[in-house]
Amino acid sequence: MRDRRILILTPTTLPDISGNAVTAERWRQSLIKKGLSVNVHAAEHLGPGNLIEHLENIKPDVVHAHHISKAGAMFLNPHIIDRFARLPLVISPAGTDILSQEGHVRDTGTIVAQVCKRARVIVAQGEWVAERLSALIPDVKDNILYVPKSFAWFGDESFDVRKLAGWSPEHFVFFLPAGIRPVKRNLETLHAIARIYEMRPHIRLALAGPSLDKDYTVRFQQDLERCGEFAKWIPIIPCGSMRSAYTSVDAVINSSSSEGLSNAVIEAIAAGKPLLASDIPGNRWPIRGNEDASTCGLLFNVSDTNDFIRLALRLIDD
């Protein structure tokens, strides 16, 4: 009997640096260790014809589409439905999938709802995702499988953020690892840190991640030029160097307005760094833990800059 074959579709794949690409690579490595044959393909520039070609060549036993609207939606194409109606489809939603569904609670015809009903299994990597999907699309409740998200480092290559930026050990360095796009609120974080810099001149901010939204990045770069005294943008940190990058900073920021379960949050916890994170469902459990667990950081009101500043000062001073 041949090895079981898995095809993972995700918006982007390595070497492109993104949370989706990192998550898919961790799945690939874990499944290979279990003796499965795994192919990973980026859905970002994949048309229906290309997908059909991949499906016919690979002949997967299961397709796992990570990110419903950007990968799973391809399985609503009539040509793919006709030829691969019996192919088992597993999907895992992203935080933005849930956010898009929130505005259409009574609309069962959304892309997210249609893909969820097409899937055999819906893998939720955060409890809140499972709970919210069950509430928004009750018809798929029995197909939701909660699989807690884990991680693995990709290497131990050296990458000293502090040294690269020319900052000294006396500087308190905040680290925001996230692609530059509105949902990550990189620009808003830069503005908030600028106000803190006026009160605590020894603080610094390192932002790491590629441009994922052209217009937003233009605004970000314009403001970054005025913040050169305390802020530095590192577009790419190799995956194998991320452990070292976390080690070289003092605190990690996650300022997203929506998250399923952030790789950056899990990595910061694994690296033993305190977090300053937006108080959204995807961040609450990993940071607060269960009732008997120690907290891993502070949660701020995402719509209140003053709350961010207050808690940032608490981290700096304590």
Side-chain angles (χ1 to χ4, degrees), residues 71 80 85 100 104 111 120 130 138 147-149 178 181 192 199 222 236-237 267 274 290 311:
I80 294 175
S100 67
H104 307 84
I111 288 175
R120 300 273 187 94
V147 181
K149 191 173 189 177
R181 57 184 176 131
M199 296 178 274
Q222 289 172 345
I236 298 294
I237 298 179
E267 290 164 359
N290 299 319
L311 294 176

Side-chain angles (χ1 to χ4, degrees), residues 11 30 240 242:
S30 297
M242 283 303 295

Side-chain angles (χ1 to χ4, degrees), residues 77-312:
N77 182 281
H79 299 293
I80 294 175
I81 291 174
D82 287 344
R83 300 178 70 166
F84 301 99
R86 295 186 179 182
L87 179 61
L89 175 65
V90 174
I91 59 173
S92 50
T96 48
D97 286 323
I98 308 301
L99 192 63
S100 67
Q101 185 69 27
E102 291 277 5
H104 307 84
V105 174
R106 294 183 178 84
D107 183 3
T108 58
T110 62
I111 288 175
V112 171
Q114 290 181 61
V115 177
C116 284
K117 292 175 182 178
R118 161 74 173 85
R120 300 273 187 94
V121 175
I122 302 168
V123 175
Q125 293 199 280
E127 275 189 296
W128 82 273
V129 174
E131 293 170 358
R132 201 71 197 112
L133 263 184
S134 296
L136 291 169
I137 316 173
D139 293 350
V140 304
K141 182 178 180 179
D142 292 340
N143 294 339
I144 297 174
L145 180 64
Y146 171 48
V147 181
K149 191 173 189 177
S150 186
F151 87 107
W153 297 115
F154 290 132
D156 289 305
E157 290 86 355
S158 177
F159 197 100
D160 192 324
V161 171
R162 190 184 301 268
K163 183 177 180 180
L164 177 69
W167 300 329
S168 75
E170 287 71 35
H171 289 119
F172 186 99
V173 180
F174 283 105
F175 184 41
L176 173 55
I180 311 301
R181 57 184 176 131
V183 72
K184 298 298 183 180
R185 303 181 74 254
N186 323 74
L187 183 58
E188 291 80 356
T189 300
L190 179 64
H191 293 163
I193 293 291
R195 290 175 55 185
I196 297 170
Y197 175 66
E198 295 175 358
M199 296 178 274
R200 302 291 189 275
H202 70 295
I203 67 105
R204 297 292 184 267
L205 173 64
L207 306 106
S211 169
L212 299 177
D213 184 291
K214 183 178 179 181
D215 293 338
Y216 187 78
T217 301
V218 169
R219 292 165 49 208
F220 169 75
Q221 288 180 297
Q222 289 172 345
D223 287 8
L224 185 69
E225 289 181 7
R226 296 191 288 269
C227 300
E229 291 183 353
F230 66 87
K232 183 174 181 60
W233 177 33
I234 308 167
I236 298 294
I237 298 179
C239 288
S241 301
M242 283 303 295
R243 186 175 192 172
S244 176
Y246 284 108
T247 301
S248 66
V249 304
D250 294 297
V252 177
I253 296 174
N254 179 291
S255 50
S256 301
S257 57
S258 176
E259 290 281 8
L261 184 52
S262 166
N263 286 313
V265 166
I266 295 175
E267 290 164 359
I269 293 169
K273 297 298 177 178
L275 276 146
L276 178 59
S278 49
D279 189 4
I280 56 176
N283 286 343
R284 288 174 194 146
W285 179 81
I287 291 174
R288 287 181 179 166
N290 299 319
E291 292 182 3
D292 58 346
S294 298
T295 58
C296 298
L298 303 173
L299 296 171
F300 68 90
N301 185 334
V302 74
S303 61
D304 185 351
T305 302
N306 289 329
D307 193 42
F308 176 95
I309 292 172
R310 177 181 65 84
L311 294 176

